[in-house]
Amino acid sequence: MNPEPKKLSSKIDVGVKKAIAEAIERHRKLGESISIWQDGKVVTLTSDRIPPLP
């Protein structure tokens, strides 16, 4: 298990990353697409192209 971050900004960063990962996973499970920034442009991924959480 990872040690708990000591700085408030580090804790916020961890929380935001976790929330984003959970939202992306929810989209994948519900069959909804997401849009991401890739190679300088917006790309829409269908749910079957969203990799599952490890």
Side-chain angles (χ1 to χ4, degrees), residues 5 7-18:
K7 286 184 165 183
L8 179 58
S9 60
S10 295
K11 290 180 181 182
I12 292 169
D13 190 46
V14 168
V16 168
K17 287 179 180 179
K18 181 179 177 200

Side-chain angles (χ1 to χ4, degrees), residues 15-26:
V16 168
K17 287 179 180 179
K18 181 179 177 200
I20 291 169
E22 289 172 356
I24 291 171
E25 180 67 5
R26 184 171 55 250

Side-chain angles (χ1 to χ4, degrees), residues 12-30 32-36 45 47 50-54:
I12 292 169
D13 190 46
V14 168
V16 168
K17 287 179 180 179
K18 181 179 177 200
I20 291 169
E22 289 172 356
I24 291 171
E25 180 67 5
R26 184 171 55 250
H27 276 73
R28 186 185 70 77
K29 286 181 177 179
L30 293 174
E32 299 172 346
S33 62
I34 61 169
S35 295
I36 61 170
L45 298 177
S47 61
I50 300 172
L53 283 176

